[in-house]
Amino acid sequence: MRAKLAVYWTGSCGGCDVSFLELGPGLLDVLSQVEIVFWPALVDAKRQDLERLPPRSIDITLVNGVLRTEENAEMVALLREKSRFLGAYGACAHLGGVPALANQGNGILEAVFGPGFRPAPPFPEAPEDTPPDLLPEALPLDEVVPVDFVVPGCPPPAGLIARFFEAALSGGLQPGQVFAEEKALCEECPRVREERRISRVLRPHEVLPDPEKCLLDQGMVCLGPVTRGGCEASCPKAGMPCTGCLGPTPKAGDPALALLSALASLVRAGEEGEAAFPEENRILDGLVDPIGTLYKYAFAKYGRPLRRLARRREEVRA
Amino acid sequence: MSEFEPKVVAFLCRWCASAGADLAGTSRLPYPPNAIPIRVNCSGRVEPQWVVEALKAGADGVLIGGCHPGDCHYVAGNYKTRRRVYLLRKVLAELGIESERVRLEWISATEGARFAQVMAEFVAALKRLGPLHGNGGAR
């Protein structure tokens, strides 16, 4: 019997839905073993169709995207009820992803429309249709429903998608499974580490990196040391620093703080000592936008608790 | 309501700052008793994650005490910590947490008076900033 599969998108760019094509001919094998019961990007099925399904009748559900609206939250709760296994697919569902960087501000509408922004008064007659309300914050999937497994990445790389389907379609899905390595990306990166000290911190557009040497050694902020392997270091191989889309290794904890710690220990302005402090600070100032760089995908999961604390204080003061 | 008493977590290095704190005690120097001291072998061992964990868990401020430049028992641990704290304070400021809540001080084993002074200054500064956590330090 074919496994019943659902794929749903919430606050998503659509890249995760496209990523399945990366399987190439392997996609045909997968499709021959599944029955698609719900997948808005591919087949016509509406919320009512989903509501009619008996509980736990979908074998595997993959959710991609961040949770941004009330409707997103309702839909994933509905999918949770109808699914035996529900997983986060891609960095947004897993960690909040890039759209969750919006949590830095005090509300997305104020940030876009300015401090004087007020919602329009409601229409006197109930409109036929209205967009769903925004959630106060952009959330990863597991903040709203229990998540059984994770296929990480932005989007998930082909090898990990294949590994996931292999496990899922042979009945080998384990609760809590993350389809990526526990070891850091550096383990599979072919670049050579040498210097272990850096005298500048650069953004990708500021340097044409040496093809062989470690990008971190060259002053690029590469999240490889704190990020799970599993992508075969595809970005570093192409001369771009890892931005951490597979999420932190279990040992790294908060990826931004872990990388910050590593980066700071590598920085040198000549001989270490009091005389070098100002120049060291100047080098460290090369890390512009530390939140966007270090928490690119994981802000909702790791940076948000402190941001929340600060926001509550701002509210108390106001 | 009683006055807000900030909670401080103090990571003190074994060779300098912690010995300095001991000296403040054995010298009977009065200083605000707001800190929970945690002795570490070197200020260079203090991970930014510990500092943030302390703030999340209820501390209003975190003090890191290390050896003066040139005095680190492990040669360069205090320099690493200085750079880490420099970046960490930037991150905290971007998140909306006052960077003054994380303080790095050089305190030698002979500077009991300096430890007492640092504690007094830090606690006063935190009182001016107010509580980090909503409950306002109500006990």
Side-chain angles (χ1 to χ4, degrees), chain A residues 262-273:
Chain A
L263 188 72
S265 57
L266 296 182
V267 163
R268 292 289 188 288
E271 194 74 17
E272 283 183 292

Side-chain angles (χ1 to χ4, degrees), chain B residues 33-86:
Chain B
N34 298 50
I36 299 164
I38 297 175
R39 193 169 74 172
V40 291
N41 253 1
C42 178
S43 61
R45 183 64 190 92
V46 179
E47 293 185 19
Q49 301 202 44
W50 301 356
V51 176
V52 167
E53 203 51 48
L55 294 175
K56 281 199 288 199
D60 298 292
V62 175
L63 174 71
I64 302 166
C67 305
H68 282 270
D71 288 352
C72 177
H73 189 79
Y74 306 99
V75 184
N78 53 354
Y79 299 146
K80 288 191 174 64
T81 279
R82 195 199 68 81
R83 295 191 294 263
R84 286 180 186 138
V85 169
Y86 182 80

Side-chain angles (χ1 to χ4, degrees), chain A residues 63 137 159 225 227 240:
Chain A
V63 176
E137 291 180 298
T227 303
M240 287 297 284

Side-chain angles (χ1 to χ4, degrees), chain A residues 252-254 257-258 260-261 263-265 267-268 272-274 277 280-281 284-285 287 289-291 299 303 305-307 309-310 313-314 317, chain B residues 46-49 52 55-56 69 76 79-80 82-88 90-92 94-98 101 106 129-134:
Chain A
D254 182 319
L257 299 178
L260 176 157
S261 180
L263 188 72
S265 57
V267 163
R268 292 289 188 288
E272 283 183 292
E274 214 164 356
F277 290 175
E280 287 177 357
N281 292 354
L284 293 168
D285 287 339
L287 177 63
D289 187 18
I291 305 284
F299 186 70
L306 273 184
R307 179 68 200 116
L309 213 56
R313 293 192 56 239
E314 285 156 17
R317 281 179 180 169
Chain B
V46 179
E47 293 185 19
Q49 301 202 44
V52 167
L55 294 175
K56 281 199 288 199
Y79 299 146
K80 288 191 174 64
R82 195 199 68 81
R83 295 191 294 263
R84 286 180 186 138
V85 169
Y86 182 80
L87 280 184
L88 176 62
K90 271 185 150 192
V91 168
L92 290 177
E94 287 211 8
L95 291 173
I97 309 269
E98 299 90 345
R101 291 185 187 276
W106 313 131
L129 287 176
L132 177 58
H133 296 263

Side-chain angles (χ1 to χ4, degrees), chain A residues 130-259:
Chain A
T130 52
D133 283 335
L134 292 174
L135 294 171
E137 291 180 298
L139 300 172
L141 185 62
D142 70 356
E143 299 258 345
V144 174
V145 292
V147 169
D148 299 318
F149 62 90
V150 177
V151 188
C154 185
L160 300 183
I161 305 173
R163 213 189 287 179
F164 159 71
F165 276 118
E166 229 174 81
L169 297 176
S170 64
L173 213 49
Q174 302 294 325
Q177 222 169 335
V178 178
F179 287 90
E181 308 300 334
E182 304 222 324
K183 281 185 176 172
L185 190 81
C186 299
E187 301 274 334
E188 52 197 47
C189 181
R191 289 179 173 272
V192 184
R193 287 189 298 189
E194 278 173 355
E195 290 282 330
R196 297 291 81 181
R197 58 181 52 189
I198 56 183
S199 55
R200 51 185 193 167
V201 176
L202 296 166
R203 284 178 282 173
H205 70 274
E206 294 177 298
V207 61
L208 198 61
D210 180 284
E212 311 281 331
K213 288 184 186 159
C214 168
L215 293 174
L216 199 53
D217 282 357
Q218 297 182 61
M220 295 172 96
V221 183
C222 180
L223 265 71
V226 300
T227 303
R228 285 176 183 268
C231 60
E232 288 160 32
S234 53
C235 294
K237 274 182 191 164
M240 287 297 284
C242 170
T243 54
C245 76
L246 291 179
T249 60
K251 277 186 188 160
D254 182 319
L257 299 178
L259 204 276

